[in-house]
Structure formats: C-alpha cells, structure tokens
C-alpha cells in the first residue's frame, strides 16, 4: 500500500478519471535516461480525499503486474497505455 499526495494537474486529472471509471490505474517507473520502463503495476484506489484546492490524498494498493505494449500522452498530460497482463501460471 502507498499513500500519495497528488498535486500536479495532470495526475489530479488521472485520479479524477480513475475515480469515475473503476478506481484503477497503472504505475510505471523510469530508467536512468528518464524513459518509461516496459513493466508496471496496476493499482486500485482504496481511499481518496480531495482537498479544497483540488489536490488529492490517495491510498492505493498494487493488484497485478503488466507489460506496456504502447503508450501515448493524453491531452491532460498523463499517459495512457495498452497493456497485457502476463499469466502467473508456470
């Protein structure tokens, strides 16, 4: 579980979108050249409080890993991706 203080406008827009559509979004890391990694984790918003200034205090939990197949930037500034969820079976 992670607690996030969401204040950047693009990520506030992402949280609003997630709250309106299943409370899920993906998180990926960056490499040393600041390029997106190809793997990430799907997270679910467990709790969310919006401050009067529009910022969010969010508690998330990771649910499953994914492989990023392609990504593009949404007009609000965050990235949307097509992903695949690998089988956990051997």
């Amino acid at each position: 579980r992670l607690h996030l203080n969401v204040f950047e406008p693009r990520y506030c827009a992402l949280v609003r979108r997630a709250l309106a559509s299943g409370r899920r979004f993906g998180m990926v890391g960056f490499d040393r050249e600041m390029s997106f990694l190809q793997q990430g984790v799907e997270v679910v918003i467990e709790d969310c409080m919006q401050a009067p200034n529009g910022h969010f205090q969010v508690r998330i939990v990771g649910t499953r890993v994914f492989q990023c197949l392609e990504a593009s930037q949404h007009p609000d500034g965050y990235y949307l991706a097509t992903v695949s969820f690998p089988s956990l079976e051997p």
Side-chain angles (χ1 to χ4, degrees), residues 23-43:
R23 303 178 74 89
R24 296 177 184 275
F25 62 93
M27 294 182 70
V28 297
F30 293 89
D31 64 17
R32 290 182 182 191
E33 287 79 40
M34 294 307 293
S35 297
F36 288 108
L37 297 176
Q38 297 300 307
Q39 297 80 28
V41 64
E42 178 188 53
V43 300

Side-chain angles (χ1 to χ4, degrees), residues 67-79:
Q67 180 76 27
C68 187
L69 303 176
E70 62 181 58
S72 61
Q73 193 168 19
H74 186 274
D76 285 334
Y78 57 85
Y79 282 83

